[in-house]
Amino acid sequence: MTEITGLRESFTREEYTSPEIFDREMRTIYSTNWCFAGLAQNLSKIGDRMVVEIGNESILIVRNRENQLRAFYNVCQHRGSQLCDASGSGFGAAITCPYHAWSYSLEGELVATPLHEKDAIDRSAISLQAVRVAEWQGFIFVALDPNAPDLLQWLDDHYSRPRDLEKFDMASLKNAKSTVDEVEANWKVLGENYSECLHCAVVHPELVDLVPIYKTGKTIQDDRADWGVSLADGATALSYKQNENLPLLPTMDDLDDYSVFGAYVYPNMLIDISPTLAVITRYVPRSATHTTIFTDYLFPADVVNNKDFDLEPTIGFSDLVNQQDISVCVRVQRGVASRSFTRAYHTKMERYCRHFVRRYRDEIKSVS
Ligand code: FES
Ligand SMILES: [Fe+2]
């Protein structure tokens, strides 16, 4: 392969389109890393449940009687029926299979086998298969790999420094709105797009008006060690409306400028902090060419609880940028499927994409 001055090779057409490679990614990357599963505030009561796809697996997360999170493969151990169809509340403290109504406790123990005498079956020998679950900053993560490092250690191993964002006390924020986008693009197309700002001046004219450094293609400012990026003079929020006096996120007050921060928590989570809003994005890869994007819009609880605040100009602006990104990613997915396309390239200015590719290659090699 000839080296091209100024360019590094990125993902190939096959890596963006092949079902076999997608399956390998699910069995390696999505089965060895912690994956973001959802907001802990959506599991606030005993028995609340969350059903999420992690890699090729359906995972059930519940809140138990001790107010702790528990996660299980969403599979009844009688004859294998999937247990729960959807996330929700109000199911009580038992998980009952829809097939023969065997019931499990919130600890995964088999507690009822209807139509059988109490002692006819040794129930203690059967239980739901547990999966590791942990919470950070109000975000629930699941690891299918029993040998994955502790969540905090794993977070520390990200070039994007997600733990720097702990200063915004994200667990204290409240979700005001959730959206779902079905996107005809590979999850890596989305991850690469998030990792660079070469496209910002072209694709996000409204955003670069508010964040001038993005016009240069840079994602961080050389003069700021905290990786914050300053808004334009006079701008106070990423919003259609400026100076609308929405309360700021915790700690934003202490910064000299109104600022924006972001982190790609590889492989499937984005955190975007702006003065008044935290946008939390979750990718669920469905196939090599399709990804579901879940987005939550978090504000300080006082803001969400006060109906006098109009959040739509802020949420709408963020969604505008999101839809602009989705539209270019779908365009990329159509292009990379062409027989004329061999591989993508990154320039030096896309250096975070290079981190992404490097980590991906290290991890996907581990498949047997
Ligand atoms: S498969 Fe679940 S109770 Fe039979
Ligand atoms: Fe973008």
Side-chain angles (χ1 to χ4, degrees):
M1 200 64 60
T2 353
E3 292 265 321
I4 303 177
T5 306
L7 296 179
R8 289 274 176 83
E9 289 176 5
S10 171
F11 298 114
T12 62
R13 178 179 65 227
E14 287 68 31
E15 285 170 328
Y16 289 125
T17 57
S18 149
E20 289 75 28
I21 292 176
F22 177 81
D23 185 57
R24 197 186 308 164
E25 291 169 355
M26 294 304 105
R27 287 184 290 116
T28 53
I29 291 160
Y30 280 81
S31 300
T32 54
N33 282 289
W34 287 91
C35 292
F36 172 49
L39 303 178
Q41 62 191 267
N42 292 341
L43 288 185
S44 55
K45 295 187 293 298
I46 292 166
D48 284 0
R49 51 176 77 163
M50 189 183 274
V51 176
V52 287
E53 302 299 315
I54 305 286
N56 291 326
E57 300 290 342
S58 176
I59 302 297
L60 170 65
I61 308 169
V62 295
R63 194 168 284 287
N64 73 7
R65 290 178 181 280
E66 282 74 47
N67 207 25
Q68 298 158 328
L69 296 173
R70 291 283 183 264
F72 307 100
Y73 288 95
N74 186 15
V75 176
C76 177
Q77 296 296 316
H78 172 217
R79 285 194 17 234
S81 168
Q82 199 154 69
L83 282 168
C84 305
D85 297 332
S87 306
S89 263
F91 297 99
I95 303 161
T96 303
C97 178
Y99 196 178
H100 312 95
W102 286 23
S103 286
Y104 300 87
S105 73
L106 297 175
E107 296 297 325
E109 307 144 318
L110 180 61
V111 291
T113 49
L115 307 182
H116 296 81
E117 298 291 331
K118 188 167 183 303
D119 296 324
I121 297 168
D122 178 7
R123 292 183 196 148
S124 68
I126 302 277
S127 57
L128 297 183
Q129 296 295 300
V131 173
R132 289 175 72 192
V133 61
E135 184 178 335
W136 169 72
Q137 290 280 301
F139 306 127
I140 300 174
F141 287 81
V142 164
L144 299 185
D145 182 355
N147 299 315
D150 286 344
L151 178 60
L152 292 184
Q153 195 188 333
W154 177 85
L155 285 164
D156 282 336
D157 196 27
H158 282 69
Y159 65 82
S160 57
R161 297 175 18 186
R163 294 199 61 198
D164 285 8
L165 305 179
E166 290 173 0
K167 61 178 174 244
F168 297 110
D169 191 13
M170 295 176 282
S172 73
L173 304 177
K174 189 167 171 186
N175 189 22
K177 182 171 177 172
S178 302
T179 58
V180 183
D181 289 283
E182 298 295 345
V183 180
E184 294 297 323
N186 185 285
W187 67 277
K188 301 189 295 300
V189 170
L190 299 166
E192 284 182 287
N193 174 72
Y194 183 78
S195 303
E196 53 88 1
C197 213
L198 268 188
H199 71 275
C200 291
V202 186
V203 175
H204 305 303
E206 300 84 357
L207 176 65
V208 299
D209 276 350
L210 292 176
V211 192
I213 187 97
Y214 287 170
K215 279 188 193 141
T216 70
K218 291 187 175 181
T219 48
I220 52 178
Q221 288 176 211
D222 298 336
D223 60 345
R224 284 188 65 166
D226 67 353
W227 285 14
V229 169
S230 309
L231 293 192
D233 284 347
T236 60
L238 285 192
S239 173
Y240 287 119
K241 282 196 189 151
Q242 299 299 315
N243 300 304
E244 57 181 341
N245 294 326
L246 271 189
L248 301 179
L249 301 190
T251 306
M252 198 56 79
D253 271 336
D254 305 336
L255 302 174
D256 291 338
D257 297 319
Y258 292 100
S259 302
V260 174
F261 295 79
Y264 176 21
V265 188
Y266 170 97
N268 80 325
M269 179 192 201
L270 312 177
I271 302 176
D272 285 291
I273 303 283
S274 61
T276 57
L277 166 71
V279 182
I280 308 302
T281 305
R282 179 166 63 99
Y283 299 150
V284 177
R286 306 287 187 189
S287 75
T289 58
H290 192 106
T291 307
T292 307
I293 302 181
F294 294 88
T295 310
D296 293 315
Y297 299 90
L298 276 56
F299 295 82
D302 293 351
V303 174
V304 181
N305 296 336
N306 184 340
K307 297 297 168 212
D308 292 341
F309 288 122
D310 180 10
L311 306 182
E312 270 313 310
T314 313
I315 293 174
F317 187 87
S318 179
D319 188 48
L320 167 78
V321 175
N322 189 25
Q323 296 306 324
Q324 290 167 332
D325 280 323
I326 287 173
S327 138
V328 285
C329 288
V330 169
R331 178 179 290 277
V332 166
Q333 189 67 41
R334 288 200 299 258
V336 296
S338 162
R339 60 194 290 180
S340 71
F341 183 81
T342 314
R343 61 173 33 76
Y345 292 101
H346 294 143
T347 78
K348 205 167 182 179
M349 294 193 66
E350 294 163 296
R351 63 177 180 278
Y352 298 116
C353 297
R354 292 181 177 188
H355 283 283
F356 177 17
V357 175
R358 211 173 297 140
R359 182 163 179 167
Y360 172 93
R361 297 231 187 280
D362 282 350
E363 293 183 359
I364 200 142
K365 270 198 301 231
S366 68
V367 74
S368 51

